[in-house]
Amino acid sequence: MTPENERALVVGGGYAGLVAARVLADRFDEVVVLEQDDLTAAPEHRRGTPQSRHPHALLARGAELLEDLFPGLRAELRDAGAPVSDFGQFPMLYPAGWSPRVHTDLALQTFSRPLLEAALRRRVLARPRVRLLDRTRVARVVLDAARDHVIGVRTDDDALHPARLVVVATGRTSRLPAGLLAGGLPAPDLLRVDGNLSYTSRVYRRDTASPPPWQASLQATLAPTARRGGTVVALEDERWLVCLFGADGQSAPTDPAGFSAYAASLANPHIKDVVRHAEPLGAIYRYGGLGGQWRRYDRIRPWPRGLAVLGDALCVLNPLYGHGMTVAAQQAVLLARMLDAHGPAACGHFQRRSARTLLLPWYLSTSLDLGWRPERAPVAALLARRYLARLLRRVPDDPELYRRFLAVQHMTASPLTLLAPSPRTRRGGARP
């Protein structure tokens, strides 16, 4: 057995845990990934990620980080059937009209969550310092008697797994936040904003003989009036994934007739055409509870050495805005930098710095979601929502503004770039 001060544990074998394991493999003699699900090499949905049957987006910044950590990943996914195109060619229908077609340096690659995780898991486990213990449920984090630093974790069978570093990456449905409290940590402040959003999704066969001139299409929800929306995206294995959104209590039915009727009620013709004409390939799945939730571990003082919490275990972001996977990749890279700079004291620095990576995506999504409950919104959120609503009204008529908006959304440009004036080119919001 490797001595505990040379071992790191990653609790959670999903996307965030795999990216964390990748950076730790360069810094520890042994990295053990503990995962409660039974994992196979094949791309499969698993119970621990119920959101995996719904759309996932990797923004441009996240794709860059993954390509740095896993060189050739984009090409590997493309070879597996995950298409790539310019995000500016992705038609999006906002309440004010269609987005303009623009050319950007932002790539859109669409794939299923199981395909991405299988590719990452294969690459991470190919590293000789990393091993996987699946079907292993972690009950709690174990601190020393002084509650000053982590000494490992205990699993449901009461086995102690010692380690110098424990990374908690257990996702949005984890029970481990309670396990952190059982280990002796105080309860963190909890921020919650819920737009009462739901996803209802179904997979269809994609006709590659006569493909449409788009890889994905979307109709956005927007508080306080546009409660229905949806998207259709091309997946590997010649499939479409259709996801119908419902906000503020709206929810698409899970029976075929009700699902089709909900799709027909949308203004986006691409979604309606796929549901009407393509062959369905499976059941309909619904997933709710998609609001934001941020556990402010960065505010706990002192923070124990050797403990890091990242990904959805730290902050659940509304998936409609596509920031979650990118932020998790940013946090893994940040953890590596903090370990290199601060050694054993890295984790306190990491938790405080990771909060900064969350500020932009958190306030972007929550400012919009608070629009469903305007009487509860603080003044800052009201002002931010009004600004964003005004910006989205201008998008159909202003290609240059839209290009800058996409760069901010993809986390490759500062929000301050949206304040610069741009020439307005009238497009009339015509249907693409």
Side-chain angles (χ1 to χ4, degrees):
M1 294 289 290
T2 303
E4 67 179 42
N5 65 343
E6 303 296 336
R7 180 189 300 120
L9 301 179
V10 179
V11 187
Y15 167 82
L18 291 169
V19 180
R22 163 63 187 86
V23 301
L24 297 179
D26 294 337
R27 292 163 176 83
F28 288 83
D29 289 340
E30 182 180 21
V31 179
V32 183
V33 180
L34 306 172
E35 168 56 45
Q36 64 181 3
D37 287 339
D38 184 0
L39 297 181
T40 67
E44 295 181 351
H45 296 287
R46 55 191 180 87
R47 190 170 67 176
T49 53
Q51 72 272 27
S52 70
R53 297 184 181 275
H54 306 282
H56 286 76
L58 193 61
L59 302 181
R61 180 58 181 149
E64 292 170 0
L65 292 172
L66 284 194
E67 193 67 22
D68 288 342
L69 294 172
F70 304 95
L73 177 64
R74 173 168 288 166
E76 178 183 342
L77 295 174
R78 185 179 59 241
D79 292 344
V84 184
S85 66
D86 189 316
F87 197 94
Q89 302 299 299
F90 174 8
M92 292 197 278
L93 179 59
Y94 295 103
W98 286 97
S99 60
R101 295 290 186 93
V102 296
H103 292 284
T104 71
D105 293 326
L106 308 172
L108 168 67
Q109 185 167 39
T110 51
F111 43 74
S112 68
R113 171 74 173 256
L115 178 67
L116 176 63
E117 285 196 1
L120 297 182
R121 186 163 58 246
R122 183 169 54 252
R123 286 170 172 246
V124 168
L125 295 182
R127 292 179 169 265
R129 296 183 180 184
V130 182
R131 64 187 179 98
L132 170 69
L133 292 180
D134 61 353
R135 293 169 291 176
T136 303
R137 290 175 63 89
V138 172
R140 63 187 179 93
V141 171
V142 181
L143 303 179
D144 70 325
R147 298 178 180 176
D148 179 62
H149 63 87
V150 163
I151 60 174
V153 301
R154 283 199 181 275
T155 51
D156 276 359
D157 59 1
D158 204 36
L160 174 65
H161 294 257
R164 180 185 181 190
L165 175 72
V166 174
V167 176
V168 177
T170 44
R172 65 175 60 220
T173 60
S174 171
R175 63 175 182 164
L176 203 58
L180 296 177
L181 300 181
L185 289 180
D189 295 336
L190 179 62
L191 305 181
R192 298 187 68 176
V193 176
D194 190 359
N196 203 3
L197 176 73
S198 67
Y199 279 180
T200 308
S201 299
R202 194 177 200 185
V203 174
Y204 293 80
R205 189 178 306 282
R206 179 161 50 97
D207 181 7
T208 56
S210 55
W214 45 267
Q215 177 182 322
S217 184
L218 177 139
Q219 179 173 331
T221 60
L222 187 65
T225 57
R227 292 178 170 82
R228 292 189 176 194
T231 189
V232 53
V233 298
L235 301 182
E236 69 278 4
D237 298 327
E238 300 180 359
R239 295 175 296 163
W240 291 118
L241 176 61
V242 173
C243 179
L244 304 180
F245 312 149
D248 196 30
Q250 290 277 318
S251 185
T254 55
D255 65 284
F259 187 89
S260 297
Y262 195 100
S265 73
L266 302 180
N268 186 313
H270 308 139
I271 300 170
K272 292 192 286 191
D273 287 348
V274 170
V275 173
R276 183 182 299 122
H277 300 298
E279 175 191 354
L281 296 179
I284 300 170
Y285 297 90
R286 180 190 292 154
Y287 187 65
L290 298 178
Q293 182 171 278
W294 187 358
R295 293 182 174 91
R296 299 302 304 263
Y297 291 115
D298 57 295
R299 296 176 177 174
I300 294 177
R301 302 286 195 280
W303 182 255
R305 291 188 173 195
L307 177 62
V309 186
L310 53 73
D312 283 356
L314 172 62
C315 181
V316 177
L317 295 164
N318 185 333
L320 186 61
Y321 308 107
H323 290 105
M325 290 198 295
T326 294
V327 167
Q330 285 182 316
Q331 291 168 353
V333 172
L334 172 64
L335 178 60
R337 292 206 311 266
M338 295 297 99
L339 288 168
D340 293 343
H342 300 286
C347 292
H349 293 280
F350 166 76
Q351 293 303 150
R352 293 187 289 276
R353 292 282 295 274
S354 64
R356 301 179 195 175
T357 70
L358 289 165
L359 289 176
L360 173 61
W362 175 261
Y363 284 110
L364 176 62
S365 64
T366 58
S367 294
L368 292 171
D369 287 346
L370 282 168
W372 302 114
R373 299 289 184 271
E375 72 281 0
R376 303 179 188 177
V379 172
L382 284 171
L383 294 174
R385 189 178 76 251
R386 288 173 184 170
Y387 176 79
L388 287 169
R390 182 181 176 187
L391 183 148
L392 292 175
R393 285 195 299 269
R394 292 176 53 196
V395 155
D397 300 331
D398 195 334
E400 177 56 32
L401 176 63
Y402 182 55
R403 189 178 285 109
R404 284 185 276 138
F405 172 68
L406 289 182
V408 172
Q409 182 185 3
H410 281 255
M411 305 177 76
T412 62
S414 166
L416 296 177
T417 62
L418 296 174
L419 300 179
S422 65
R424 297 174 59 90
T425 303
R426 300 297 300 178
R427 294 178 58 91
R431 176 171 296 182

